[in-house]
Amino acid sequence: MAKDGLNLAVIPGDGTGPEVTVEALKVLKAVAAKEGFTYRTTPFDFGGERYLQTGKVLDDEEVAGLKKFDAILLGALGHPKVKPGILEKGILLKLRFDLDQYINLRPVHLFPGVDTPLKDKGPQHINFDVIRENTEDLYAGTGGILRKGTQQEISTQEMITTRFGAERCIRFAFELARTKKKEGKGKGQLTLVHKTNVLTYCGDTWFRTFNEIGEKDYPDITRDYNHVDACCMWFVKSPEFYDTVVVPNLFGDIITDLAAIIQGGLGVAAGGNVNPDKGGVSMFEPMGGSAPKYTGQNVINPIAAIGALAMLLQQTGIKQGHAKLSKAGDRVEAAIKKTTPKMKSQAAGKMGMGTKEVGDLVCEML
Ligand code: IPM
Ligand code: MN
């Protein structure tokens, strides 16, 4: 953080993205006043609307321009008039890859008063973190189509694992498990999720890397392994078993949606695309999409976006060694936990109050 404060890039994006971003920024303003730090925000209009008007998705210069910020807050991307894939690949995935945000950090914590579809489970049971690798695997985009449109069409898409990519992700996960244990927030357990019984090459690299690093550098952390299909069952049956989970990109995409629904759904689930390296720029986002049908009606739940802000403050604070930011992040998280019990539901249109009122309430609870 520079002398003139936290320097944030804001990408409100499409649909309900701008509405929830406004609430997150409202909370930022309030918490900055309370904790005594200054900040600046610079908005960027990347998204479906700009694409439809100008044909521009996101170019290298624009990505380079984002590198001078301390962090990025993203609302949502996705426009009903834009073909699926263009904005996702052209903006979201491009940012993750070009800014080398190799960690997708997904806290799965059931907040007080939030309904889970899991019978007899409460906040004490649903309280873990998923670390998803964010730059490799089937997302790397290698492969192609031959003889397209003919009966002989052939397409391939390859699962890419590098030792380097698996290792940096696994190390981040072990570190998180250790920190949580030290802070009394976890039992010191890391679960690797893969499919080593079928994916005998990529799975092997992950499995060996996980065990080598764990044995050598993290003997204090218990190692555990789940096949991804079994993990889907266990998340539902015994979520309380999990502490920290590390998983490659595509499996991580899938299990974190499952995790999002058990923590109360897309209204509350937030995530971070983190580049933990010095000088790296991370991006935080609510997990939900742009929800076009709810746009502009003051009915969408901003808790996930406010949660993304809390993560942004916590992670930027940790990375830059700014205790005030970390404290501000914790404060926002605590305020969210005091707000959710006052809401009727976390679903859009059923909260018992509007988007703006939820934002106001979080500010009050700070
Ligand atoms: C997510 C999303 C993205 C992903 C899409 C929008 C490309 O589903 O952040 O989980 O697959 O990673
Ligand atoms: Mn996803």
Side-chain angles (χ1 to χ4, degrees):
M1 186 161 72
K3 276 205 197 67
D4 47 355
L6 177 69
N7 191 10
L8 279 194
V10 180
I11 308 173
D14 302 315
T16 50
E19 295 166 53
V20 295
T21 305
V22 164
E23 299 313 309
L25 294 177
K26 195 197 263 177
V27 175
L28 174 61
K29 188 176 178 188
V31 79
K34 290 211 186 297
E35 290 294 339
F37 67 87
T38 56
Y39 67 93
R40 281 176 295 158
T41 58
T42 307
F44 291 88
D45 64 351
F46 313 145
E49 236 15 273
R50 184 180 83 151
Y51 172 68
L52 289 172
Q53 277 169 24
T54 67
K56 273 175 83 174
V57 183
L58 178 69
D59 62 36
D60 292 342
E61 251 171 63
E62 290 171 324
V63 177
L66 290 172
K67 290 188 180 160
K68 65 168 194 276
F69 291 91
D70 289 316
I72 304 166
L73 184 67
L74 172 68
L77 292 167
H79 195 292
K81 293 194 183 122
V82 180
K83 208 175 119 205
I86 294 179
L87 303 171
E88 292 86 339
K89 265 194 148 170
I91 302 180
L92 187 61
L93 297 185
K94 185 175 170 65
L95 286 172
R96 288 178 182 173
F97 280 71
D98 291 3
L99 297 174
D100 203 20
Q101 293 163 340
Y102 58 90
I103 300 298
N104 193 316
L105 179 58
R106 283 281 296 104
V108 185
H109 301 211
L110 181 65
F111 292 143
V114 174
D115 276 339
T116 173
L118 301 187
K119 190 166 163 268
D120 301 332
K121 302 289 181 191
Q124 71 277 28
H125 301 109
I126 300 168
N127 185 24
F128 60 95
D129 294 276
V130 180
I131 308 299
R132 164 185 170 193
E133 201 288 323
N134 215 24
T135 57
E136 299 194 342
D137 203 47
L138 279 149
Y139 278 70
T142 56
I145 303 192
L146 260 177
R147 305 193 206 104
K148 189 170 174 175
T150 71
Q151 283 302 307
Q152 292 79 35
E153 178 162 335
I154 165 172
S155 49
T156 61
Q157 195 124 31
E158 287 128 14
M159 179 174 266
I160 307 286
T161 300
T162 68
R163 164 79 194 208
F164 163 78
E167 178 161 343
R168 63 182 181 173
C169 179
I170 288 167
R171 281 195 185 279
F172 184 93
F174 270 120
E175 288 292 335
L176 179 64
R178 179 178 276 171
T179 305
K180 289 199 314 187
K181 186 181 179 184
K182 277 191 193 144
E183 291 175 355
K185 291 179 186 159
K187 55 181 169 180
Q189 172 186 285
L190 180 62
T191 302
L192 169 67
V193 173
H194 210 296
K195 184 75 186 174
T196 55
N197 50 347
V198 176
L199 302 175
T200 49
Y201 311 129
C202 292
D204 189 45
T205 300
W206 272 86
F207 196 73
R208 274 182 295 108
T209 306
F210 177 68
N211 285 304
E212 277 170 25
I213 290 172
E215 196 174 309
K216 186 164 155 277
D217 295 333
Y218 301 92
D220 50 321
I221 302 300
T222 307
R223 293 192 300 278
D224 171 51
Y225 171 79
N226 281 179
H227 289 320
V228 63
D229 46 350
C231 171
C232 290
M233 293 198 303
W234 292 116
F235 269 13
V236 172
K237 182 154 194 300
S238 311
E240 64 277 7
F241 173 77
Y242 294 94
D243 170 346
T244 308
V245 175
V246 64
V247 58
N249 209 341
L250 182 64
F251 293 151
D253 178 46
I254 298 164
I255 68 169
T256 54
D257 263 27
L258 178 59
I261 200 68
I262 70 175
Q263 77 181 109
L266 295 177
V268 291
N273 301 279
V274 178
N275 177 334
D277 300 343
K278 202 163 176 274
V281 181
S282 304
M283 174 168 72
F284 299 83
E285 52 172 331
M287 297 305 294
S290 56
K293 73 171 181 184
Y294 295 123
T295 302
Q297 298 174 38
N298 195 38
V299 296
I300 197 81
N301 191 348
I303 289 288
I306 299 168
L309 171 75
M311 289 178 74
L312 183 156
L313 293 168
Q314 287 163 337
Q315 291 292 319
T316 312
I318 292 171
K319 185 158 157 187
Q320 302 188 343
H322 275 280
K324 264 187 191 172
L325 290 186
S326 308
K327 250 186 85 193
D330 292 346
R331 192 162 180 158
V332 174
E333 193 183 316
I336 291 174
K337 289 182 182 166
K338 287 188 200 147
T339 302
T340 49
K342 297 187 162 45
M343 298 167 67
K344 262 203 193 134
S345 152
Q346 299 301 317
K350 298 181 181 154
M351 302 185 294
M353 56 184 98
T355 307
K356 294 190 178 108
E357 288 67 41
V358 176
D360 291 341
L361 200 50
V362 176
C363 291
E364 231 176 83
M365 296 298 144
L366 283 172

